[in-house]
Amino acid sequence: MRKHILILAVLISVCITAKAQFSVGIKAGVNYSTIDANNLKNSSVAGYQAGAFVRVGGSVYLQPELYLSGTGGQFQSDDDVYSGTVKFTNLDLPVLLGVRFGPQKLNFRIMGGPVFTTILNTDESLSQNFNATYNDFKSYKNLTVEGQLGAGVDFGPLTADLRYQFGVNEVNEDHQQRQNLWALSVGFKIL
């Protein structure tokens, strides 16, 4: 993780010294996440995200972000005997590469890149027979790498994004659990 932060800092420094366009902003939004689990039906839970972003570059830009998010999923066995809900509080670090096009006051963007996610807290509500059957179901990794693709629009200092985030690796290898989500956020450039 430290190596990734150092690489990110070097990239930002190079872009700033090259007199590239630079903006800093805050953002908040909602997400709908699921956790795909082996042999279980799943459904989405609503969550949140709030944090900050830095955008460096012109028509091609680098956008690292740091935000707090709430994600999770609901599970149910095929015979409806086992059920449960898991919610995570995460610290997310997306490092996105994007392309901007359109006029300066109203421009459109597409972006993608990795997201480094650290689980800060886990809140589980599993039925008693679920715990007895899947005693290792709660073996979640503290750090995962995910991918993110999306599109956005800027209108002056206002910004809005719609993104899809998909699990590159599993949050729980024992049950092949991968987290996927859709996120809608709005932001404001303060610099």
Side-chain angles (χ1 to χ4, degrees):
M1 182 72 166
R2 289 181 188 179
K3 182 171 37 168
H4 298 294
I5 292 173
L6 179 62
I7 291 169
L8 180 63
V10 169
L11 286 172
I12 290 172
S13 299
V14 168
C15 290
I16 290 171
T17 52
K19 298 195 190 268
Q21 294 175 353
F22 178 79
S23 60
V24 176
I26 56 174
K27 63 180 276 185
V30 297
N31 64 51
Y32 296 95
S33 60
T34 59
I35 299 176
D36 297 327
N38 196 18
N39 299 325
L40 294 171
K41 297 185 287 187
N42 59 55
S43 57
S44 297
V45 297
Y48 63 89
Q49 59 178 268
F53 67 90
V54 175
R55 192 177 299 157
V56 181
S59 58
V60 175
Y61 64 90
L62 178 69
Q63 182 169 317
E65 301 177 348
L66 184 64
Y67 55 84
L68 197 62
S69 69
T71 61
Q74 294 180 334
F75 309 98
Q76 199 162 9
S77 62
D78 289 333
D79 57 5
D80 296 331
V81 173
Y82 313 115
S83 64
T85 301
V86 176
K87 293 184 179 180
F88 301 116
T89 302
N90 308 310
L91 185 63
D92 296 318
L93 174 67
V95 181
L96 307 172
L97 184 62
V99 177
R100 198 176 359 205
F101 51 94
Q104 187 172 358
K105 295 290 183 191
L106 174 68
N107 65 67
F108 300 93
R109 299 174 284 107
I110 54 174
M111 80 273 316
V115 180
F116 304 96
T117 299
T118 299
I119 297 175
L120 302 176
N121 186 38
T122 304
D123 181 20
E124 300 155 346
S125 172
L126 305 174
S127 64
Q128 289 286 53
N129 50 4
F130 195 105
N131 281 329
T133 305
Y134 298 103
N135 59 358
D136 60 348
F137 195 79
K138 302 181 277 189
S139 302
Y140 298 111
K141 291 182 179 177
N142 288 334
L143 178 66
T144 61
V145 178
E146 299 165 356
Q148 199 173 81
L149 299 171
V153 63
D154 295 332
F155 184 69
L158 299 176
T159 181
D161 291 340
L162 176 64
R163 299 181 189 169
Y164 178 69
Q165 187 168 312
F166 53 94
V168 174
N169 61 1
E170 295 147 342
V171 293
N172 180 331
E173 293 175 349
D174 295 332
H175 295 280
Q176 291 82 45
Q177 296 178 39
R178 289 185 192 271
Q179 185 163 252
N180 303 304
L181 64 88
W182 283 97
L184 178 63
S185 64
V186 293
F188 184 79
K189 294 184 236 173
I190 51 181
L191 290 179

